[in-house]
Amino acid sequence: MPKEVAIIGVGYAGFRALTPEVSYKELMYEAAVKAYEDAGVDPRRDIESFVTVAEDFTEGTSIFDEYVPDQLGAVLKPVHTISGEGLHGFIAAYLQVLTGAMDIVAVEAHSKASNILTPDEIMAFAMDPVYNRPLRANPHFIAGLEMNRYLCETGTTREQCALVVAKNKHNALYNPLAAYGASIAVEDVLESEMVSYPLSRLDMSPRADGAIVMVLAARERAEELSDIPIWIRGVGWCNDSFSLENRDWTNAIYAARAAEMAYRMAGIRTPWQELDFAEIDDTFSYKELQHMEALRLCRPGEAGLLVEDGATEIGGEFPVNPSGGSLGMGHLLDASGLARLLEVVLQLRGEAGQHQLSDVETGLAFGWRGLPTTSGAAVILSN
Amino acid sequence: MALLEKVDKNIEARAWQGEIPIQSRYTCGLAGEKFFREIMENGRFAGTHCAECEYTYVPPTIYCERCFAKLDEWVEVGPEGTVQSFTVLLVAPDGTPLEEPDILALIQLDGADSVLVHRLGKVGLDELAIGMRVKAVFKPKKEREGSILDIVHFVPVNA
């Protein structure tokens, strides 16, 4: 894939458990100002189009897309909001530039999770109202069912899942953006309160507030504006059947298909060898392992062994979630995938600080839209 | 630009609390009508079959999501089935701890390719296993009202 579209600016704000000192609009504004400064663009003059990602129920507002232009500098400009994962919005922005319709486009996603007083009820409201919701079960049972099936099918153990938690929270200690860095042992995870067997409290990523804005530009403008454009080499997205009755409970097929599309575009045949690292969804500990296998970073059933061997640590053969992932940084709702992508950008720019990887050229970000969805998106970047 | 000042005293971090009152009716559709009527009247499970894909949908749909064909071949499935996964849920819908664990499972009814999501009952936690055989227990006929809750739960076949 030729170098056609690049990320020329990134901005972020929050990434903490609580942000009572600002409104969600101010959080977005802060991220936007930083991204535009980083890109060297004036939103009122230079940015031609804006894409944001949000979900009405998590915002607590109907038709939330109407609430986004002002704090992004997007008033009286083309702007639309996608309900999906942050990476779906990113891909929409990328395609606008790729078509030649726009030269410079901004994408935004955020989480003001601390404003949500009934998060599990909102998640439950996403289940089928006729067949599933009458059971009145906390929707984390879906993760419990899937984790149990995954462990049974692949021979992966709860201990291996706990190692993912320990690794990611440890990585987060070196990431100043991460809200949930900690030095914990496998036993801490295994002994934490059971939520929906075999899923324990520490197997789940805690929520965080934050906003992320990225500025994308067509090749000529990117080279003119940026010393370190980060090129978009491949994108892919896919949804499995959403119904709990018909989805694939064993394989994260949405991840496999999304990645295949991105790999094809990027000309990647053996991801483990051709990619240098990956930032992938770890909303729940087992999801990092299940997603690694679906993304062909290893064979089915091998991810747990790789974690045991330390292969996915920062100093390992193939680092996975050097940022700390959602387990270490906090889950940013629909902005989580953009947080994964942000880390890929910072690593490829050599700006990751204490947890900088050496000699990285190509990285993968993968986002999952969270419970109860079967929706994922993948983006491959290189410097 | 950017923020020169922020609220820097916790007690000055003001917020307004609101709620969204939402009420809806969700129609069950053509396939759902037949599915729930079979349960209500006969205590049986009805599914639709796609001959092209060799796949049986339970709950039924009037189209095949694999090949997009219209489905009108109805088949009876269950009432016994196999547990494809289970979980022991310990939190209530609002996130608070449950007093009694709630056992939920994916049950593949005999003859179906999809799974039903429902509760398991009359089973000890140490008896739970993927692959275990279970059967549906329906509410007494006069108490059924055309809902997924007309199924009380699934219990082990040998219970």
Side-chain angles (χ1 to χ4, degrees):
Chain A
M1 187 73 195
K3 295 179 171 179
E4 296 289 354
V5 184
I7 299 170
I8 61 164
V10 293
Y12 40 89
F15 293 4
R16 295 195 307 279
L18 298 171
T19 51
E21 79 282 16
V22 284
S23 70
Y24 76 86
K25 285 206 175 200
E26 290 160 350
L27 204 58
M28 288 169 68
Y29 172 70
E30 193 175 325
V33 168
K34 288 181 184 170
Y36 304 156
E37 183 71 21
D38 188 41
V41 297
D42 175 341
R44 306 300 295 146
R45 185 191 62 210
D46 303 319
I47 300 182
E48 291 163 301
S49 167
F50 300 78
V51 180
T52 78
V53 177
E55 191 71 52
D56 284 1
F57 282 102
T58 54
E59 304 296 340
T61 305
S62 299
I63 321 184
F64 180 76
D65 47 300
E66 296 292 323
Y67 285 78
V68 302
D70 45 329
Q71 65 272 36
L72 294 175
V75 168
L76 297 175
K77 295 248 189 172
V79 53
H80 66 123
T81 298
I82 286 177
S83 64
E85 218 291 318
L87 293 183
H88 288 112
F90 178 86
I91 293 169
Y94 162 70
L95 295 175
Q96 286 188 8
V97 180
L98 194 65
T99 60
M102 309 286 178
D103 275 341
I104 303 182
V105 177
V107 58
E108 183 276 345
H110 65 276
S111 157
K112 191 71 160 146
S114 65
N115 273 0
I116 304 169
L117 302 184
T118 55
D120 290 3
E121 294 281 9
I122 290 176
M123 204 188 278
F125 217 65
M127 291 193 292
D128 185 281
V130 175
Y131 293 105
N132 308 139
R133 232 193 280 160
L135 294 170
R136 283 294 291 157
N138 184 297
H140 285 102
F141 86 85
I142 298 167
L145 286 173
E146 190 184 48
M147 181 175 180
N148 202 11
R149 178 92 202 157
Y150 171 74
L151 297 186
C152 172
E153 199 76 24
T154 59
T156 307
T157 62
R158 277 195 67 211
E159 286 76 9
Q160 290 167 335
C161 296
L163 275 167
V164 172
V165 183
K167 167 180 75 73
N168 290 1
K169 287 196 184 290
H170 183 263
N171 289 353
L173 287 173
Y174 299 92
N175 181 356
L177 296 180
Y180 294 96
S183 183
I184 59 165
V186 165
E187 292 71 38
D188 295 320
V189 182
L190 297 180
E191 288 163 15
S192 73
E193 170 205 357
M194 195 53 78
V195 172
S196 192
Y197 173 87
L199 185 81
S200 77
R201 183 65 63 191
L202 285 178
D203 281 309
M204 299 161 55
S205 53
R207 298 182 183 90
D209 292 355
I212 302 166
V213 173
M214 294 192 187
V215 181
L216 287 69
R219 186 179 59 228
E220 278 185 22
R221 296 304 309 274
E223 285 172 342
E224 182 184 302
L225 285 162
S226 176
D227 296 333
I228 36 168
I230 300 300
W231 300 99
I232 301 156
R233 309 309 294 267
V235 301
W237 67 104
C238 179
N239 284 34
D240 186 11
S241 182
F242 174 69
S243 81
L244 298 179
E245 289 77 16
N246 287 302
R247 64 176 56 182
D248 186 333
W249 281 92
T250 302
N251 305 298
I253 194 160
Y254 57 89
R257 298 283 171 89
E260 282 318 313
M261 180 176 166
Y263 291 150
R264 205 162 49 238
M265 196 183 282
I268 288 176
R269 289 203 169 82
T270 50
W272 176 267
Q273 285 163 357
E274 294 173 68
L275 298 169
D276 297 312
F277 68 105
E279 280 279 321
I280 65 181
D281 177 85
D282 62 336
T283 298
F284 305 112
S285 59
Y286 75 93
K287 276 298 201 185
E288 175 170 308
L289 302 175
Q290 185 199 36
H291 286 149
M292 277 176 65
E293 291 164 9
L295 299 168
R296 279 206 290 123
L297 301 177
C298 58
R299 283 191 286 269
E302 262 184 13
L305 300 170
L306 287 172
V307 173
E308 249 173 32
D309 291 345
T312 56
E313 289 170 11
I314 284 180
E317 194 184 339
F318 191 95
V320 175
N321 288 326
S323 68
S326 290
L327 288 162
M329 292 185 70
H331 194 267
L332 294 169
L333 307 180
D334 288 336
S336 296
L338 271 194
R340 304 283 66 74
L341 191 68
L342 171 66
E343 172 70 10
V344 176
V345 172
L346 297 178
Q347 289 285 354
L348 293 174
R349 283 179 170 186
E351 294 176 358
Q354 259 194 301
H355 64 294
Q356 178 66 49
L357 306 168
S358 52
D359 302 323
V360 283
E361 288 173 8
T362 307
L364 165 74
F366 176 76
W368 169 53
R369 205 179 166 194
L371 285 180
T373 81
T374 48
S375 172
V379 175
I380 298 164
L381 303 179
S382 72
N383 53 18
Chain B
M1 286 192 292
L3 305 179
L4 294 173
E5 291 173 18
K6 289 184 186 179
V7 174
D8 60 0
K9 290 188 184 59
N10 213 337
I11 51 166
E12 288 172 8
R14 208 172 300 279
W16 174 260
Q17 193 161 323
E19 57 188 70
I20 308 178
I22 298 172
Q23 293 184 21
S24 308
R25 279 177 64 80
Y26 302 97
T27 48
C28 300
L30 302 171
E33 284 289 338
K34 195 150 175 169
F35 178 71
F36 289 120
R37 196 175 311 125
E38 270 302 296
I39 289 177
M40 272 205 304
E41 292 171 5
N42 304 313
R44 288 198 300 242
F45 291 108
T48 49
H49 182 69
C50 178
E52 184 70 30
C53 298
E54 297 181 345
Y55 192 98
T56 298
Y57 292 90
V58 185
T61 55
I62 58 163
Y63 49 83
C64 176
E65 65 176 43
R66 284 160 181 75
C67 70
F68 211 55
K70 182 174 184 299
L71 301 182
D72 47 21
E73 183 187 343
W74 287 82
V75 291
E76 185 187 336
V77 299
E80 292 187 5
T82 305
V83 169
Q84 294 296 349
S85 191
F86 67 87
T87 186
V88 184
L89 181 66
L90 295 157
V91 290
D94 65 0
T96 58
L98 277 175
E99 282 175 21
E100 289 291 318
D102 200 2
I103 307 169
L104 289 127
L106 302 175
I107 299 126
Q108 186 171 21
L109 292 169
D110 294 345
D113 291 287
S114 55
V115 292
L116 267 187
V117 179
H118 222 290
R119 293 199 158 86
L120 297 186
K122 295 196 172 140
V123 59
L125 294 182
D126 54 349
E127 295 171 68
L128 292 170
I130 291 175
M132 75 187 290
R133 297 283 298 158
V134 292
K135 63 185 176 198
V137 175
F138 297 100
K139 278 184 182 168
K141 193 168 178 179
K142 60 183 176 199
E143 290 174 27
R144 294 178 203 159
E145 50 190 9
S147 134
I148 198 73
L149 299 179
D150 287 351
I151 308 165
V152 180
H153 51 212
F154 284 76
V155 299
V157 164
N158 50 17

